[in-house]
Amino acid sequence: MEGELVSGPRSAATDRFALARRAVAAIGTTFDDRRTAVELASFLVEELCESATVDLYGPREAGRAPGESLRSAAVAGRRDLLDSLEKAPRDQISVRALDAGHPITASSAHGGAALVTLSVPLLAWDRVYGVALALRAGLPFDDQETAAVHYAARLAAAQLRHAEEQREAGPRVWDLRKVLPAAPERTHPDVELASRYVPGGTGGRVGGDWYETLHLPSGRVLLAVGDVMGHGLDAAVDMNAYRSTLRYLASTDLAPHGILRRLDAMLSAESGRRPATCLLTLLDPADGTALLASAGHLPPVLFHADGTAGPVPLRVGPPIGTGPGTGLAAHEATRLPLAGDDTLVMFTYGLIERRGEDVDTSLARLSGLRAGPGAGAGELLDGILGDFLCGAGPGSGQADVDVALLAARRRPGP
């Protein structure tokens, strides 16, 4: 009948999907193992049981037998149920779950009340990372509830594996970070340069943000900022490939839009490369102009000595590595006159990316910043970072991804 509420199998399936969505949102928000265990235990108590514990293995050990090196990582819910559960039965249930590879349920009477326990392994890619134990007084867990506990445990296990991979890749990534986002290699007699690089979050999310300054024989300076899409070691490796190719093309004395076109053609031909955005600025201090070209990148912001600022209007071409057929116009250049005290600030998306805030709003807030009288390019960048990453204003706070900034202004003539 029209308008009648639907019940039965369809509503049950909807409930399962809704529960799965809540599990995905609640479990695995960081790369911290103990935090993941706390999120799993809290989710189980909120949705499926009255008390929960999560035990994890220590660091990976060769030849480790089931039941060895388990340590308590999280406890949630009613403490009285945990206190009523004797230590020996709990250990036995955990070992049985690990041995059998499927849920183990048990019921026992404590103080006249039936205590039901459900133990599942934290299993991902044929490896067990620990054990989750759900407890409640009353009815046993039905098939749907058992499947939900299994699903939540597998989510947590997958996050634990991902965190382990990030930790293993960490030393190599930090070696790349020390080399790739290097500061300008030498001063320029006619251009003041400053740069800043801030790793995102706690370092678990490795990004592909980079910048480059190249002094050309003509006396001009080529400035670049870029952002390889995605995260992880592969993004850092692709970042190196983009920078190396850019250095080669800069030596050919092409205009910025010509460099972007050649860069796109060369790296689109290499399979497996991640796309990247890139902004190039060819600064000529002799005639006080800059030639800019963007490949899917945000525009720079120009700060004037009178305190005004604003984004530079650019024609934006397709990101590097996407090749033809993107539907965007080819890369084109924009000429920008620079007054003696103008400061051009280029940055990656991580600076203004904030959940729930429109990019135009963030750009307007950046344009509203003011540099103090006589402040240098480096002081301007420090002020921007202080407002966006350390301040108390809207959108401030630690960035989730890497942030790279580059500032340039002409030095006053003799």
Side-chain angles (χ1 to χ4, degrees):
M1 181 181 299
E2 186 176 357
E4 186 176 348
L5 293 177
V6 178
S7 60
R10 181 181 298 179
S11 60
T14 302
D15 291 341
R16 287 196 296 271
F17 286 129
L19 187 63
R21 286 196 299 269
R22 292 197 293 273
V24 170
I27 300 170
T29 62
T30 72
F31 288 122
D32 181 79
D33 291 356
R34 187 170 293 275
R35 180 62 186 171
T36 298
V38 170
E39 291 170 349
L40 172 60
S42 300
F43 173 80
L44 293 177
V45 169
E46 290 173 5
E47 301 286 352
L48 297 160
C49 62
E50 295 176 275
S51 183
T53 67
V54 178
D55 297 337
L56 298 179
Y57 280 124
R60 182 186 299 188
E61 302 170 9
R64 182 180 60 199
E68 291 183 359
S69 303
L70 276 173
R71 69 189 190 280
S72 177
V75 177
R78 291 176 54 185
R79 296 281 178 162
D80 59 314
L81 293 184
L82 293 173
D83 293 339
S84 66
L85 182 66
E86 297 178 357
K87 189 176 188 302
R90 178 185 170 191
D91 290 346
Q92 292 171 5
I93 291 171
S94 297
V95 173
R96 288 174 59 198
L98 295 176
D99 287 340
H102 55 74
I104 299 297
T105 60
S107 298
S108 58
H110 295 275
L115 180 62
V116 182
T117 60
L118 172 63
S119 178
V120 299
L122 273 58
L123 178 66
W125 288 273
D126 298 325
R127 182 175 163 207
V128 176
Y129 288 83
V131 179
L133 185 66
L135 303 90
R136 72 185 184 192
L139 296 175
F141 294 92
D142 61 26
D143 291 343
Q144 181 174 332
E145 292 171 328
T146 300
V149 176
H150 247 306
Y151 181 76
R154 284 185 175 271
L155 273 179
Q159 182 69 8
L160 293 171
R161 175 187 172 92
H162 192 25
E164 184 177 67
E165 291 173 345
Q166 289 288 332
R167 287 191 293 270
E168 291 174 352
R172 289 174 288 166
V173 170
W174 279 109
D175 287 343
L176 284 172
R177 277 179 163 171
K178 291 175 184 177
V179 174
L180 297 181
E185 57 186 18
R186 64 182 188 276
T187 60
H188 191 286
D190 302 316
V191 180
E192 180 186 355
L193 298 172
S195 59
R196 299 292 185 269
Y197 178 78
V198 181
T202 59
R205 284 168 56 88
V206 179
D209 294 31
W210 56 277
Y211 58 80
E212 186 69 84
T213 63
L214 298 171
H215 299 186
L216 305 179
S218 61
R220 297 177 294 179
V221 180
L222 182 66
L223 312 173
V225 293
D227 186 358
V228 177
M229 297 181 184
H231 301 87
L233 185 60
D234 290 341
V237 171
D238 285 345
M239 171 179 63
N240 188 32
Y242 282 109
R243 291 185 65 182
S244 299
T245 308
L246 174 67
R247 290 168 181 162
Y248 162 72
L249 292 175
S251 66
T252 63
D253 205 27
L254 288 170
H257 59 292
I259 293 177
L260 291 179
R261 292 176 184 177
R262 289 283 303 277
L263 190 62
D264 181 44
M266 293 173 67
L267 293 175
S268 295
E270 299 184 18
S271 61
R273 291 291 182 202
R274 300 182 182 210
T277 65
C278 184
L279 173 65
L280 295 182
T281 299
L282 185 62
L283 180 59
D284 189 340
D287 64 4
T289 61
L291 199 60
L292 302 95
S294 172
H297 202 87
L298 290 167
V301 172
L302 188 63
F303 290 83
H304 304 288
D306 61 0
T308 60
V312 178
L314 294 179
R315 293 183 286 270
V316 179
I320 302 299
T322 56
T326 59
L328 295 176
H331 304 104
E332 299 180 31
T334 299
R335 186 172 297 276
L336 177 70
L338 294 174
D341 293 325
D342 287 346
T343 304
L344 189 69
V345 176
M346 305 161 63
F347 52 90
T348 55
Y349 187 65
L351 177 68
I352 64 172
E353 178 185 15
R354 293 296 181 272
R355 295 184 182 92
E357 183 175 72
D358 185 78
V359 173
D360 291 336
T361 302
S362 299
L363 279 175
R365 187 157 46 84
L366 176 60
S367 301
L369 297 181
R370 298 293 180 262
E379 293 172 289
L380 175 59
L381 293 187
D382 290 337
I384 292 173
L385 289 175
D387 184 86
F388 273 73
L389 303 186
C390 303
S396 62
Q398 177 66 50
D400 293 332
V401 294
D402 298 354
V403 175
L405 298 95
L406 191 59
R409 73 167 56 148
R410 298 167 57 201
R411 295 185 188 275

